[in-house]
Structures are given as C-alpha cells and as structure tokens.
Amino acid sequence: MNLSVALPILIPLLAGAVSLVFWRSHFAQRWIGVFGTGALLWAAIVLLLQTWEEGIQVMHMGSWVGPFGIVLVSDLLGAIMVLLTGITGFATALYSLVAIPREHEKFGYYPLLHLLLAGVSGAFLTGDIFNLYVWFEVMLVASFALIILGGERAQMEGAIKYVTLNLFSSALFLSAIGLLYGITGTLNMADVAVKLGEVSGEEQGLVSVISILFLVAFGIKAAAFPLFFWLPASYHTPQVAVSAIFAGLLTKVGVYVLFRFYTLIFAHDTELTHTILLWMGMLTMLTGVLGAAAQFEFRRILSFHIISQIGYMILGLAIFTPLAIVGGVFYIMHHIIVKANLFLVSGLVYRLRGTYELKDLGGLYRSHPWLGLLFLIPALSLAGLPPLSGFFAKFVIIRAGIEAEQWLAVAVSLLVGLLTLYSMIKIWNEVFWKAAPAERTEEAPAYTHQGNSLLMYYLPIAALALMTVLIGVFAQPIYLLAEGSAAQLLAPAGYIEAVLGVQP
Amino acid sequence: MEALMAIVVGVLYASALYMMLRRSIVKLVIGLILLSNAANLLIFTAGGLRSGVPPLVPDGLSQPLGLIADPLTQALILTAIVISFGVLAFAVVLIHRAYEVVKQDDMDMMKDTDR
C-alpha cells in the first residue's frame, strides 16, 4: 500500500466531513478550512518529492491489482497538478477567512470547498477512466453549489449555463466511456492504451470517433474554442474566492485530461487529433484575447483571459514535440498561480471600492501603491514579460513552435501575448492609474462587517505573487520538473509498466 | 437486439438535444434527463447484450462456465444513475430558484451575463 498517493484525496474528504460535523460553528469550519488545505499542500509536496525521487507511484485500491481494480497513479504531471491544487486551495482558504460574507458561510461554503478540492485531486490521480468520470462529477456537484452561493440573479443565469453545458459534456464523456469499453473491454487507462494499440484496421475508424468524442467532452470542460461559451457567462458571477479557485483549477482539470489522454491513450493517430488540437489552440487564444479586449469589467476581462491562456496549453500539446509538452506543462504551472492571484486582487479591489466596473474605479495606485505592485506582478507575468514566470512559459512554447516550423501558431502566440499586455495595461490604467471618478462608494456594503483587516487579503496575494517571481527567477529547476513530466508523458511505456507491472 | 437498442439510443439522444434547444428551462432539464439515460443505455449496449447467462461462478469452480453477461457495465450504469440522479435533482432545484429570482422560464430572457 502506497498511502501517500491517496492522501491528497483523503485529506480534503476528511476535512469536508469534519466541517460538516461542525455545521453550526463557523469559527471551527474556517480553521478546519485553513488546516485542511494546509495539510493537502503538505501531502502534495510529499507526493511530488516522492514521485520525483522514486518514479511513478501507484496505489492499488483494496489491493486489487490493475487492470481489475481501480488504481491511483501519481506520475510527475499528476503530482505537479496536485501540488498546484494544494497551493490554490490553501491560498483560497486563507482569503476566504475575510472574503466570504458570514451569511454565506452557513450554506456550507467550507465543506463544499473541501469536496471540490477532493474531486480535483482525485481527477489528477486516478488511473481509471470511469473513476475519472466519478471525480469529475464530485468536482462538478461541489462547483454547482459554490457558483450559486449568494443566490443573485446573475448567479442564477450564469449557473444555468454552467450546469447545462457541464452536464452535457459529462454525458458525452460517459458515452465515450461506453464505446471505449465496448472496444477494449477495460477502463484502466494503461490497459486501454495497450489494447488500443492492438485493435484491428477496421476498428480504427471507431477509435477515431471515440477520441473526437473525448476531445469535445474535455474541450467543453477546458473551455476551448468553440466550446467555451459557458465560461465568460458564469465565472464573473460567484463570490470572488470561488471565482479564484474556479479560474485557477477547474478548466485546468480539462486541460490535464487532454494531456493525459492524447499522450497516453490516443497517441496512435496524432495526424487527425493533434491537427484539430492545433487549430483549437490557436482559435482559443485568439477568440479569448479578443473577447477580453471588448470587456470593461474586471472579472469578465480576466475570465476571457482564462480562455486565451488555455489556448497556449493546448498548443503545447498539439505541437507534440518534447519541448512543446515541456512548455505546456510549464504553462499550466505558471497559469494556475497567476490566474488565481489576479482574481484575488480583483476581490480586494472590490472590497476597497465596491465595484468591478472599470469606469467606476480609479486612483487606487495613489491610495494603495502596494496593491498596484501586487497587481502588476501577475498581470505582467500573464502577458509574458521577463523575468516573470509567464515569459519562460511562453518562451518555451514559442521556441517549440519555431523548431516544429508551425509559423502560424508562433505568429498567433506572439500576437496574443501583445493583446494580453494591452488588456492588462487597460486594467492598470483604469483601476490604478487614472484619477478616481468624482462620486464613488467608499466601501463595499456587503463586506464592511468584516472589519478593516486587510492583512488576510494581502497575505495570499503576496504569497502567490512571490511564487510567480520565484518561478521566473528559478526557472531552471521548474523547467527540469516540467521536462521530467514531459519525458514521462511521451514515454507511455513507463506509465503502463508502473500500473500493470508488465512491459507493454 | 443490438440494432433495436442502437435506434432507441439514437432517438433518445436526438430528443434530448431537441429538448435542450427549446427555450424553456423546464424542457432544458427534461433534455438533460433524457441525455443521461441515453448515455446509460449506450454503455449497456456497448458492453454486449446477452440474456439468460447470469455472471455467477458455480460451486466448486474458480471461473464461470462459458460466456456470461458482463457485470461491469451494470455496475457502471448503476454508478452513473446514482450520480445523474443527484446532479439532476440539483438542476431541478436550480431552475426552481432561477424561476423565483428571474421570474421567467425563457432562456432568451437570461442573457444578462452574456453581454
């Protein structure tokens, strides 16, 4: 038994159950939130170190060996994603101490947060396709309840679109699982990969259909073009702490699955799938960034930028050279931290000024210069300015594009980087630099009861900003980590051997 | 039998999509229900249809005699049914709340967040 693989799932589940026991004591729930996510972060660090030193970690649930039992697998990509889950979860839990209004806590915000984290970690660690579906649903149910916390009109409208399209994608996912099971007779990812290598010529067509079904299902989850419409319709509506964890983690679960499936399972016919992925990636980048340019509301701009950044990750997968996969993984690491941080900053701006509309904001640099700095770090990193983390992430992907002679993709990536800078400068000018509009409300009415403690707002923001800088400064070790995970992804035999215990 | 099931599954998918494309949010949820049932039946059919051969191991043997029905698909469907039941129950409550807040059951009137 290799318990450290299961801990990142067990800890949030346990923390969620314990916070349910303390249903009436919000004080206890808050601190279980902090310690539970802190423990998750610790377990994730342990798991990553172990995976780095000893290779792929496998745990057979109930000691049923694969492919018959459900396995939990932690390769480097999975362990990295769990670590990012821990970081985002911990930062959000700290931020929630002050940012979640007291009247929302009683609807079970903290238990749901833990459940969400358990679902996300489970999706990153499972080695079984149906089990992946179950973790997806755990994550979705928690996110459905979190997105409507507050019950405002915009939340309801956003939630209907979010729920419908995510359930639709789950149904497609389930159908694809059924067809895949019909062909291979197994659901263990490693075993499926082996069996798909052996299918006869006439069934290859059906395999392609299934791979496209999975592509559409996870394209919706990852908010890729042309399947992203639920995201800008809903991500700006919930509580800002919820927005931050959604923006950081949820779409990236879809991206992670794309990375996993299209390197391990559907790597036989890359001609078809990876060409589609390439176009998907480019168009996702472009539409996302153009959508953002047209918006004048803080969180809507950021939501559209999630989409455009997803494009870079998909592009890394689509080019499908070792360097490009390294770039994709590096990009995911950089993006989750930066994007969650930008949403946290927008929440603090709302706390100070009571609005997300750019036209009603202004003058924040004069009154809160440090906040301006803390905004600029993730914002410029998102746009890809050296020496921040985004520069190296973009650099690796564009370098890979040049080496693979995908000139169009390179041109689009550079253009999108420039337009991202434009969007970020727009926010900077409107929120921080221009003079404050004449009449404005000093404090957000909903948040005033939290007292004036801004420290807990600044703490997670500053920590994540520091991480962004550190990823930039210590790009070499992070690059090595991404390189290690890309090497594992591109040599699926190692994964298969670790899970099934035999050479494929 | 497979051909009949394939038609049934196809009709279910088609009617689910048709219902989801209607403007009323109640019909939207009906569409989602049909969709999850279609997916379940698809798994059932793809796993192979065999009647009268329960997946039981006779006394004193370590494996069943001859071909048996696949128990795994039924376990998968059972899990999927439970999950979709929970999720759809949430969706029903959601549209009820949304109707109370928005006072409309028309999707076209719910475009505020798209702009």
Side-chain angles (χ1 to χ4, degrees):
Chain A
M1 291 292 265
N2 195 345
L3 195 64
S4 61
V5 185
L7 274 184
I9 304 172
L10 290 179
I11 289 173
L13 275 182
L14 202 67
V18 175
S19 15
L20 277 178
V21 172
F22 291 101
W23 182 256
R24 285 172 195 284
S25 166
H26 300 148
F27 176 80
Q29 284 192 18
R30 265 173 244 141
W31 290 102
I32 293 168
V34 171
F35 287 114
T37 50
L40 172 64
L41 182 58
W42 165 78
I45 293 171
V46 170
L47 181 62
L48 181 59
L49 287 177
Q50 199 179 346
T51 312
W52 176 251
E53 279 164 12
E54 299 168 22
I56 298 175
Q57 301 290 309
V58 181
M59 180 189 173
H60 300 282
M61 299 296 282
S63 293
W64 289 88
V65 282
F68 303 108
I70 287 171
V71 287
L72 295 180
V73 189
S74 154
D75 67 346
L76 275 177
L77 178 63
I80 290 170
M81 298 304 287
V82 171
L83 177 61
L84 291 166
T85 310
I87 293 171
T88 324
F90 188 53
T92 312
L94 279 181
Y95 194 83
S96 306
L97 291 178
V98 285
I100 293 292
R102 292 287 186 262
E103 61 265 34
H104 292 164
E105 283 183 339
K106 71 168 183 275
F107 295 114
Y109 169 76
Y110 289 103
L112 287 168
L113 181 68
H114 291 300
L115 196 62
L116 182 80
L117 291 173
V120 172
S121 308
F124 290 147
L125 288 177
T126 184
D128 181 278
I129 300 179
F130 193 79
N131 199 233
L132 178 68
Y133 166 78
V134 174
W135 287 121
F136 254 108
E137 295 299 302
V138 169
M139 177 184 101
L140 280 183
V141 169
S143 72
F144 291 167
L146 282 174
I147 204 168
I148 55 165
L149 210 65
E152 286 163 23
R153 176 177 171 146
Q155 287 182 300
M156 290 299 161
E157 295 186 8
I160 285 190
K161 290 153 197 163
Y162 178 79
V163 168
T164 308
L165 281 169
N166 274 294
L167 287 184
F168 180 68
S169 117
S170 290
L172 279 185
F173 182 13
L174 197 57
S175 314
I177 289 176
L179 292 173
L180 190 62
Y181 181 73
I183 288 190
T184 59
T186 177
L187 288 169
N188 182 296
M189 288 185 201
D191 202 26
V192 166
V194 174
K195 295 269 165 47
L196 279 186
E198 299 162 357
V199 295
S200 58
E202 62 194 63
E203 276 186 330
Q204 280 296 344
L206 191 53
V207 174
S208 293
V209 170
I210 294 170
S211 78
I212 299 297
L213 264 180
F214 276 119
L215 187 61
V216 173
F218 295 119
I220 295 177
K221 306 263 190 214
F225 179 88
L227 310 160
F228 62 80
F229 293 99
W230 56 272
L231 193 148
S234 61
Y235 266 29
H236 64 278
T237 59
Q239 292 296 319
V240 71
V242 176
S243 274
I245 199 155
F246 279 23
L249 287 178
L250 293 198
T251 48
K252 260 57 74 182
V253 182
V255 175
Y256 160 81
V257 180
L258 287 177
F259 268 76
R260 173 71 71 221
F261 274 39
Y262 290 90
T263 54
L264 177 66
I265 300 176
F266 299 115
H268 307 295
D269 184 18
T270 50
E271 192 71 15
L272 172 72
T273 48
H274 291 251
T275 312
I276 296 178
L277 279 170
L278 184 69
W279 283 97
M280 241 173 147
M282 287 194 287
L283 289 167
T284 308
M285 278 194 256
L286 263 183
T287 45
V289 85
L290 291 178
Q295 295 294 331
F296 289 93
E297 203 252 36
F298 206 147
R299 285 201 287 177
R300 289 190 192 215
I301 297 175
L302 295 180
S303 301
F304 270 104
H305 275 294
I306 299 175
I307 300 168
S308 84
Q309 307 288 310
I310 293 286
Y312 282 100
M313 301 167 204
I314 295 182
L315 188 66
L317 173 63
I319 295 174
F320 207 54
T321 57
L323 190 63
I325 303 279
V326 175
V329 175
F330 199 116
Y331 211 101
I332 295 176
M333 286 195 261
H334 135 78
H335 171 86
I336 290 182
I337 291 170
V338 163
K339 187 50 87 175
N341 200 8
L342 281 172
F343 270 91
L344 295 183
V345 171
S346 81
L348 181 48
V349 169
Y350 182 77
R351 162 72 175 72
L352 295 169
R353 289 289 186 266
T355 179
Y356 290 109
E357 293 293 336
L358 293 190
K359 67 173 168 28
D360 300 329
L361 289 163
L364 267 174
Y365 183 65
R366 185 180 286 272
S367 57
H368 298 83
W370 286 102
L371 181 61
L373 181 71
L374 287 175
F375 168 75
L376 270 187
I377 291 172
L380 295 181
S381 176
L382 194 75
L385 260 64
L388 299 164
S389 60
F391 169 73
F392 293 100
K394 280 199 173 63
F395 177 75
V396 177
I397 287 192
I398 289 172
R399 174 82 192 266
I402 291 173
E403 282 180 9
E405 302 190 346
Q406 298 284 356
W407 305 117
L408 187 61
V410 170
V412 170
S413 321
L414 290 171
L415 176 70
V416 170
L418 201 63
L419 288 171
T420 308
L421 187 61
Y422 160 73
S423 266
M424 291 301 127
I425 295 297
K426 180 169 82 181
I427 296 181
W428 167 258
N429 276 342
E430 296 285 323
V431 176
F432 293 95
W433 199 246
K434 79 174 183 203
E439 81 269 26
R440 57 174 167 76
T441 45
E442 269 298 327
E443 298 274 319
Y447 287 0
T448 40
H449 61 279
Q450 305 280 7
N452 286 323
S453 155
L454 289 178
L455 179 71
M456 288 311 277
Y457 280 93
Y458 276 113
L459 195 64
I461 293 175
L464 291 180
L466 181 69
M467 242 176 262
T468 310
V469 176
L470 287 182
I471 293 179
V473 175
F474 295 102
Q476 173 70 12
I478 307 283
Y479 179 86
L480 282 180
L481 191 62
E483 202 175 30
S485 75
Q488 286 183 352
L489 284 176
L490 287 172
Y495 182 94
I496 293 168
E497 195 191 343
V499 173
L500 299 179
V502 289
Q503 284 282 347
Chain B
M1 192 61 188
E2 266 89 358
L4 183 66
M5 287 298 282
I7 292 169
V8 170
V9 170
V11 168
L12 271 178
Y13 272 111
S15 35
L17 283 181
Y18 176 73
M19 290 306 260
M20 285 175 72
L21 293 173
R22 304 287 293 272
R23 277 184 292 184
S24 154
I25 49 176
V26 179
K27 287 174 180 151
L28 177 76
V29 170
I30 295 176
L32 286 174
I33 295 171
L34 290 177
L35 194 66
S36 70
N37 286 331
N40 289 341
L41 274 183
L42 180 72
I43 298 180
F44 185 58
T45 317
L49 300 173
R50 283 188 196 91
S51 64
V53 274
L56 298 174
V57 182
D59 261 347
L61 293 179
S62 61
Q63 61 183 44
L65 301 162
L67 278 178
I68 51 163
D70 189 347
L72 187 64
T73 46
Q74 308 189 15
L76 298 184
I77 294 169
L78 192 60
T79 315
I81 287 175
V82 174
I83 290 175
S84 65
F85 175 76
V87 173
L88 290 168
F90 176 87
V92 171
V93 176
L94 174 68
I95 62 160
H96 177 69
R97 269 300 287 167
Y99 179 75
E100 280 182 352
V101 174
V102 187
K103 304 264 187 287
Q104 283 286 346
D105 83 329
D106 187 346
M107 284 301 284
D108 277 2
M109 298 293 149
M110 299 191 181
K111 286 196 283 202
D112 285 358
T113 59
D114 283 332
R115 270 185 233 120

